[in-house]
């Protein structure tokens, strides 16, 4: 079964899906594998691997090591064309639709596409948009683009609708890793009213309650990164999973 289809099934059965981001630059390989294992044991639906930069020379090794101990899907969440690996199950094929920089909209994708094809990786077409989150995040800074203002849900909705009409499979509203403020609930609710493609919401989500509020507003998938890097506690992972999987009570 294709990874995207599997994720949509998880969403259908559980209400929403819970994804955990593992940034290779934020911890050692061993610790990353340990977090991945805990995620699998505590009902995380899939892992994202990637980061804004990539200092660590262990991208392939990390994914291989995770795949050796985890059967949940591992998706690449690339900060650039250096972050492509044949060992992953799929890649979020991002186009930064909140930007007006042609390179981020189509240039990087043209470089990456033949590599992805040669690796036979599943590419999940994703409209990626930065949402203002209280301060400039690494991803926003590196992209050199302005985020969508947080008090303008209609602006985000128009971008998501454009992504849908362009045939993208999902949109990703990104407040940025470690964001002061997560994507506003009202913005998610507006998108849910007008668009049909699934919404991935990430950046600055620090509590199960914040995750749940966003799911209730219409998020299809919730991503957390920092909160578990700081405290990779199995109980906390399970609380997040339970909050996101509102249709299913965990055992
Ligand atoms: C995923 O970048 C985020 O979109 C992860 O953000 O590290 O703030 O959870 P946090």
């Amino acid at each position: 079964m294709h990874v995207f289809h599997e994720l949509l099934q998880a969403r259908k059965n559980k209400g929403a899906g819970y994804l955990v981001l593992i940034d290779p630059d934020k911890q050692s390989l061993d610790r990353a594998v340990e977090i991945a294992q805990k995620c699998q044991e505590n009902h995380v639906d899939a892992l994202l691997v990637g980061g804004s930069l990539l200092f660590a020379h262990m991208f392939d090794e990390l994914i291989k090591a995770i795949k050796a101990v985890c059967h949940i899907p591992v998706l690449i969440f690339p900060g650039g064309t250096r972050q492509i690996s044949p060992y992953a199950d799929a890649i979020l094929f991002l186009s930064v639709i909140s930007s007006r920089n042609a390179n981020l909209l189509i240039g990087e994708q043209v470089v990456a596409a033949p590599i992805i094809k040669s690796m036979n990786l599943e590419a999940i077409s994703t409209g990626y948009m930065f949402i203002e989150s209280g301060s400039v995040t690494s991803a926003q800074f590196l992209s050199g683009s302005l985020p969508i203002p947080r008090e303008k849900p209609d602006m985000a909705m128009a971008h998501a609708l454009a992504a849908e009409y362009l045939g993208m499979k999902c949109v990703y509203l990104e407040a940025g890793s470690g964001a002061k403020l997560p994507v506003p609930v009202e913005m998610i609710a507006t998108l849910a009213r007008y668009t049909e493609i699934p919404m991935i919401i990430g950046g600055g989500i620090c509590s199960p309650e914040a995750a749940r509020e966003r799911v209730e507003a219409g998020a299809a998938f919730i991503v957390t990164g920092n909160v578990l890097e700081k405290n990779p506690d199995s109980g906390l992972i399970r609380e997040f999973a339970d909050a996101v999987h509102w249709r299913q009570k965990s055992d």
Side-chain angles (χ1 to χ4, degrees):
M1 185 160 49
H2 288 306
V3 172
F4 189 60
H5 184 69
E6 201 177 312
L7 290 177
L8 292 180
Q9 271 310 116
R11 178 206 182 182
K12 194 170 161 205
N13 298 337
K14 303 176 187 178
Y18 179 36
L19 316 178
V20 170
L21 172 64
I22 295 188
D23 183 335
D25 284 337
K26 301 266 184 75
Q27 68 266 297
S28 68
L29 189 142
D30 289 347
R31 188 169 157 99
V33 171
E34 190 193 318
I35 296 176
Q37 256 175 318
K38 285 186 185 173
C39 287
Q40 160 155 293
E41 287 157 13
N42 290 287
H43 304 176
V44 170
D45 295 292
L47 299 167
L48 302 183
V49 178
S52 303
L53 295 170
L54 185 62
F55 298 122
H57 297 282
M58 57 155 187
F59 200 65
D60 281 345
E61 287 69 18
L62 175 62
I63 295 177
K64 257 203 267 187
I66 293 174
K67 287 304 299 177
V69 294
C70 286
H71 57 74
I72 55 174
V74 175
L75 288 79
I76 300 170
F77 176 42
T81 50
R82 282 170 63 221
Q83 297 176 33
I84 306 177
S85 168
Y87 303 107
D89 297 300
I91 182 166
L92 291 182
F93 196 67
L94 306 174
S95 175
V96 188
I97 58 173
S98 58
S99 167
R100 296 297 177 267
N101 174 337
N103 197 43
L104 299 175
L105 286 159
I106 185 65
E108 294 283 310
Q109 294 75 5
V110 170
V111 174
I115 304 171
I116 292 170
K117 180 75 180 171
S118 74
M119 293 178 177
N120 206 17
L121 260 182
E122 178 182 339
I124 302 170
S125 170
T126 305
Y128 191 49
M129 41 179 137
F130 295 126
I131 309 299
E132 187 194 342
S133 58
S135 61
V136 178
T137 64
S138 308
Q140 283 166 20
F141 176 77
L142 290 169
S143 75
S145 63
L146 286 174
I148 295 174
R150 51 191 298 111
E151 73 284 2
K152 296 208 182 298
D154 289 354
M155 181 74 80
M157 181 270 286
H159 281 74
L161 213 43
E164 182 174 318
Y165 294 161
L166 283 166
M168 293 178 174
K169 287 193 176 146
C170 54
V171 283
Y172 192 139
L173 277 67
E174 174 68 271
S177 192
K180 286 187 181 153
L181 304 166
V183 175
V185 168
E186 164 62 23
M187 185 177 273
I188 298 167
T190 303
L191 263 70
R193 275 200 297 280
Y194 292 97
T195 60
E196 290 184 5
I197 52 176
M199 257 180 278
I200 307 172
I201 306 294
I205 299 176
C206 296
S207 68
E209 294 72 29
R212 180 60 163 259
E213 273 178 356
R214 282 154 183 81
V215 167
E216 282 170 356
F221 300 99
I222 296 290
V223 182
T224 66
N226 266 275
V227 72
L228 300 182
E229 280 157 17
K230 289 187 191 133
N231 177 19
D233 174 69
S234 296
L236 182 60
I237 301 174
R238 185 69 68 105
E239 276 181 51
F240 268 104
D242 285 349
V244 172
H245 298 150
W246 57 272
R247 217 175 249 160
Q248 187 185 67
K249 202 67 208 114
S250 101
D251 33 74

